[in-house]
Amino acid sequence: MTDSILTERQREDYRAQGFVGPLTLMPVDEMEALRPALTEVLNSPGLAPAPPAEQVAGRLASLVADQGGDSPVPYIESRHLDSPVVHRLCTHPALLSAARALYGEDLLLWRSTFIAKADGGPEFQWHQDWGGVYAPGEEYGLEPPLHFTFWIAISDVTEESGCLRFVPGTRAVLPARPHGAGQRATLLVEDDQVDSSTAVSMPLRPGQCAVFTDRALHASGVNVSGERRLGLAVRLTVPSVKVRPHFPRHSCVVVSGEDRAGLNTLTTPAR
């Protein structure tokens, strides 16, 4: 097992604050050498279908990764299932060693999402990533809700390009409202629930990442850098959590240890 890149103090900070970073997965020049291959993945669709029109309005995904009017979802969603280069990044040894230090040996990769914010791309308002429901009777995500995210910088992620910001110590699921009229609009936390005076910015160099819980309150600003901001959100959980499929060919991948619970459909991506 690779020694964890997390110190004991960082593990304590993660438990107290709900996030920790920056963590270095690889040197800047190694990520810069990898970036063309990752960018090429974004030029063709993967396994996820475009969502129906009635589900589009209000999804944060619709604000990024412009595909000339096409839905970005097939290009950005769970590309580890069809792209070996994305799968290798999602299972980087340093990432998995940090994940094991936080949540134990047995881990599932259930989702990954490219976050491609163009120059001039909008802010993402305060929100949480917990696996809740879109509406009464329409469940999605995880049961019980429990996952954590490694947000990996593929390009430079600066204050000017709209880096992630976190409010430390958020543990409760906060009141939220749909971002738009779509059936699956992203839920945004009400402004009166956020003490933004305590917010912490998280600039990242290429090859660095932040890791945060599903209840960590986070946002990002407008990209005014003149360059596209590109990252990959790698979402992990534990085998005792039931993952509801996001699309017909969606499955989980055992990335560490084994699945002793047998609750989920598993697959082995192309390597």
Side-chain angles (χ1 to χ4, degrees):
M1 181 186 300
T2 305
D3 291 337
S4 175
I5 59 175
L6 285 171
T7 65
E8 182 60 35
R9 174 60 183 271
Q10 286 173 320
R11 289 194 289 268
E12 292 173 359
D13 287 346
Y14 179 80
R15 299 301 180 196
Q17 298 182 356
F19 65 92
V20 71
L23 307 175
T24 299
L25 298 182
M26 65 183 72
V28 171
D29 58 352
E30 186 176 337
M31 179 57 82
E32 289 179 340
L34 190 59
R35 188 187 310 170
L38 294 167
T39 301
E40 183 61 28
V41 173
L42 285 166
N43 292 333
S44 59
L47 300 179
E54 66 272 11
Q55 296 181 4
V56 171
R59 279 192 175 192
L60 289 187
S62 66
L63 303 179
V64 296
D66 179 40
Q67 296 294 332
D70 293 340
S71 168
V73 171
Y75 299 85
I76 66 175
E77 177 61 45
S78 294
R79 299 304 306 272
H80 65 277
L81 293 175
D82 67 273
S83 167
V85 67
V86 176
H87 178 263
R88 287 195 296 272
L89 183 54
C90 291
T91 57
H92 190 282
L95 184 155
L96 292 182
S97 71
R100 285 190 289 262
L102 294 173
Y103 289 92
E105 184 70 19
D106 298 335
L107 299 169
L108 298 181
L109 170 60
W110 71 279
R111 190 178 181 189
S112 65
T113 309
F114 277 108
I115 312 293
K117 185 183 288 193
D119 179 40
E123 68 174 343
F124 285 4
Q125 295 171 265
W126 294 108
H127 62 284
Q128 298 172 299
D129 290 344
W130 71 284
V133 296
Y134 290 113
E138 187 183 357
E139 293 81 9
Y140 83 107
L142 311 176
E143 182 58 47
L146 188 160
H147 78 277
F148 56 107
T149 298
F150 284 84
W151 202 105
I152 304 171
I154 298 171
S155 66
D156 258 316
V157 178
T158 63
E159 295 271 8
E160 292 74 21
S161 66
C163 66
L164 289 173
R165 301 173 67 221
F166 295 95
V167 173
T170 307
R171 292 183 176 83
V173 174
L174 301 176
R177 55 179 170 77
H179 181 56
Q183 290 182 0
R184 297 188 175 184
T186 301
L187 296 176
L188 301 179
V189 173
E190 302 283 2
D191 289 342
D192 62 5
Q193 299 294 318
V194 181
D195 179 6
S196 59
S197 68
T198 66
V200 176
S201 295
M202 187 72 69
L204 299 169
R205 295 301 316 281
Q208 290 187 321
C209 70
V211 57
F212 54 95
T213 72
D214 50 10
R215 299 190 181 188
L217 187 59
H218 59 289
S220 66
V222 177
N223 182 0
V224 296
S225 68
E227 303 288 341
R228 183 170 73 162
R229 190 206 72 176
L230 183 59
L232 180 68
V234 179
R235 307 183 193 277
L236 303 176
T237 188
V238 295
S240 58
V241 170
K242 172 64 177 176
V243 179
R244 299 184 180 94
H246 282 250
F247 47 88
R249 297 172 68 185
H250 177 264
S251 300
C252 294
V253 180
V254 177
V255 293
S256 179
E258 59 184 294
D259 177 5
R260 307 167 199 270
L263 296 176
N264 295 297
T265 301
L266 304 178
T267 191
T268 302
R271 299 178 186 271

